[in-house]
Amino acid sequence: MSYTDLSRLLCTLATVKRRVTPVLRSLAFHMARQSDRLPPKQLSNVLYAMNSLSFPDPLLLEKIANDFVSQGNAIDKPTVVGGILTCMGQMRWRNTSMLEILSEWVENHVNICRTSDIAAMVLTLASVSYTPTNIDSLFKAIIPKLTSVTINRETAWLDVVWSLSVLGKATEEHIASVLNPSFVSKIPSAAQHQRTGIKLKLLNINAVARLSMPAYKGPFLDLSDFKDVIITQGRHELMLAKHVQTMLHNFLPPPKYIRENIQTNMGIFVDAELSVGKNGKPIPIEDFTTNFGEKESSKQLPEGAQKLAMFIWDYRDYTIGSQELTGINRLAMELVRKHDYKIVQIPYYEYNMKAKTIKNVQYLESKTKEAVSTS
């Protein structure tokens, strides 16, 4: 079968929602080996199929990227750009070469782009936490096109403002438009499965306004209305976090020396909180915690002591096939740092659940000391 025929078969499987893994692997293998190239429109269709089938085959993605980059000048339709950007964001695919070409194309053709295409640009850059080289000129061109009037669906506008907040490009007007009580009151009308995500984004934006925008004079959320928001973890994430926490208990007995599974009013989840004295030895966190800005600590932190926030990163916390964290996770660390915490990161690709206890305890101790000395 030709490259074109193989791609059409993949798209057909996506249309009929047939995720037959052996067939998909075979298709991806043969498509990745083709020497010819698909045009941008067909590449967009293939990417859409891979996204629909949750099948981000790394070799095929590399082939798509190579095909696309070599034809960057051949793009003539904003719908193709918008489609590719949307798939990249939803798949968490951080191909910097493609993002550079797409960013430049959107900037140069902003007047023929639909609002949805421009929004897809912002959402994808935030999702994969990427700053293109033309970020300043790009946003100067596209920000005027993105308003609550041009994007009249509340959830879509919230997504745009949240993405701008992640990228550090949100203005006071953007923030105020979604923290306004009249906007917040429309949340209950959203579909049930959307409500938690919407509330978490509002809490993220509220935290950005409080911690990163000292000149902000607009409204803030009434946090008492958000007490029911719970961030849940997947099975694999829970297994990893539980294993790490069990190892931590060998030198940080809870609850005196460590707090775990913390739901914050910033809409982010912290796996563990601890504190160390100036000599690097653990000290009781229960005396010094503010629960990340929710209350006053019962005691003043001793001179030279530091509070640490630990994030345990599962593979879903990264963009696919890379060691680059997604936008929400980078935002989480940024917000926690604003509360004077040092960050301890435990990535899944470093931590071995099958290793001996002594090895894992030594690794965690070294990561804690490293965070204190380098931050």
Side-chain angles (χ1 to χ4, degrees), residues 96-115:
T96 57
S97 298
M98 287 183 64
L99 289 170
E100 285 292 336
I101 289 171
L102 291 164
S103 299
E104 189 175 326
W105 196 93
V106 170
E107 180 187 350
N108 293 336
H109 300 84
V110 67
N111 290 327
I112 64 169
C113 287
R114 300 170 301 176
T115 304

Side-chain angles (χ1 to χ4, degrees), residues 7 9-15 24 43-55 87 91:
S7 69
L9 179 53
L10 179 63
C11 294
T12 300
L13 288 172
T15 302
L24 293 177
L43 290 173
S44 175
N45 292 340
V46 171
L47 202 54
Y48 177 82
M50 295 174 76
N51 185 33
S52 300
L53 295 166
S54 299
F55 186 70
C87 291
M91 294 170 74

Side-chain angles (χ1 to χ4, degrees), residues 247-298:
M247 294 298 110
L248 287 170
H249 296 169
N250 285 283
F251 63 100
L252 293 167
K256 186 175 183 180
Y257 286 92
I258 186 171
R259 297 177 67 239
E260 299 169 330
N261 306 325
I262 305 153
Q263 306 274 349
T264 72
N265 63 11
M266 298 182 288
I268 61 175
F269 181 90
V270 181
D271 292 286
E273 178 190 9
L274 56 144
S275 56
V276 294
K278 60 182 178 181
N279 59 359
K281 299 277 183 164
I283 57 177
I285 187 60
E286 60 183 1
D287 296 332
F288 308 114
T289 182
T290 64
N291 204 41
F292 301 94
E294 289 188 33
K295 63 177 185 178
E296 295 290 327
S297 58
S298 58

Side-chain angles (χ1 to χ4, degrees), residues 266-336:
M266 298 182 288
I268 61 175
F269 181 90
V270 181
D271 292 286
E273 178 190 9
L274 56 144
S275 56
V276 294
K278 60 182 178 181
N279 59 359
K281 299 277 183 164
I283 57 177
I285 187 60
E286 60 183 1
D287 296 332
F288 308 114
T289 182
T290 64
N291 204 41
F292 301 94
E294 289 188 33
K295 63 177 185 178
E296 295 290 327
S297 58
S298 58
K299 291 183 182 178
Q300 189 75 24
L301 201 64
E303 184 179 350
Q306 294 178 337
K307 291 185 291 185
L308 307 178
M310 181 174 286
F311 290 94
I312 301 166
W313 302 127
D314 185 43
Y315 72 96
R316 292 181 183 275
D317 294 311
Y318 294 87
T319 55
I320 57 171
S322 82
Q323 294 178 4
E324 296 285 348
L325 289 166
T326 58
I328 177 57
N329 293 316
R330 290 197 178 280
L331 177 65
M333 291 193 296
E334 181 186 327
L335 293 176
V336 165

Side-chain angles (χ1 to χ4, degrees), residues 148-374:
S148 55
V149 175
T150 57
I151 303 174
N152 53 21
R153 191 161 52 90
E154 285 84 6
T155 52
W157 177 239
L158 176 63
D159 287 343
V160 167
V161 174
W162 179 85
S163 298
L164 291 171
S165 301
V166 170
L167 294 166
K169 293 293 182 180
T171 64
E172 292 179 32
E173 290 74 21
H174 290 137
I175 300 286
S177 71
V178 296
L179 296 186
N180 191 299
S182 63
F183 184 92
V184 176
S185 66
K186 295 171 184 173
I187 291 174
S189 63
Q192 183 66 42
H193 69 279
Q194 289 183 308
R195 288 180 198 169
T196 298
I198 289 172
K199 288 186 174 183
L200 289 173
K201 284 177 179 173
L202 284 170
L203 287 170
N204 293 161
I205 295 168
N206 192 67
V208 168
R210 282 195 182 282
L211 300 170
S212 303
M213 301 182 77
Y216 177 72
K217 296 290 191 288
F220 290 98
L221 296 178
D222 181 353
L223 294 177
S224 63
D225 294 334
F226 290 78
K227 294 294 184 185
D228 62 328
V229 182
I230 301 295
I231 302 172
T232 57
Q233 292 179 294
R235 178 174 166 273
H236 196 268
E237 291 171 301
L238 283 169
M239 286 173 58
L240 178 63
K242 189 67 179 172
H243 198 280
V244 172
Q245 289 167 352
T246 302
M247 294 298 110
L248 287 170
H249 296 169
N250 285 283
F251 63 100
L252 293 167
K256 186 175 183 180
Y257 286 92
I258 186 171
R259 297 177 67 239
E260 299 169 330
N261 306 325
I262 305 153
Q263 306 274 349
T264 72
N265 63 11
M266 298 182 288
I268 61 175
F269 181 90
V270 181
D271 292 286
E273 178 190 9
L274 56 144
S275 56
V276 294
K278 60 182 178 181
N279 59 359
K281 299 277 183 164
I283 57 177
I285 187 60
E286 60 183 1
D287 296 332
F288 308 114
T289 182
T290 64
N291 204 41
F292 301 94
E294 289 188 33
K295 63 177 185 178
E296 295 290 327
S297 58
S298 58
K299 291 183 182 178
Q300 189 75 24
L301 201 64
E303 184 179 350
Q306 294 178 337
K307 291 185 291 185
L308 307 178
M310 181 174 286
F311 290 94
I312 301 166
W313 302 127
D314 185 43
Y315 72 96
R316 292 181 183 275
D317 294 311
Y318 294 87
T319 55
I320 57 171
S322 82
Q323 294 178 4
E324 296 285 348
L325 289 166
T326 58
I328 177 57
N329 293 316
R330 290 197 178 280
L331 177 65
M333 291 193 296
E334 181 186 327
L335 293 176
V336 165
R337 286 192 184 100
K338 296 284 186 181
H339 283 295
D340 296 324
Y341 283 78
K342 305 299 183 185
I343 304 295
V344 183
Q345 299 185 65
I346 309 297
Y348 77 96
Y349 54 82
E350 285 184 3
Y351 185 84
N352 183 4
M353 288 197 286
K354 295 180 181 177
K356 291 182 179 179
T357 298
I358 186 68
K359 284 281 188 188
N360 281 330
V361 170
Q362 288 172 344
Y363 167 77
L364 293 170
E365 285 183 319
S366 70
K367 292 293 282 190
T368 302
K369 290 174 182 175
E370 178 188 316
V372 173
S373 62
T374 59

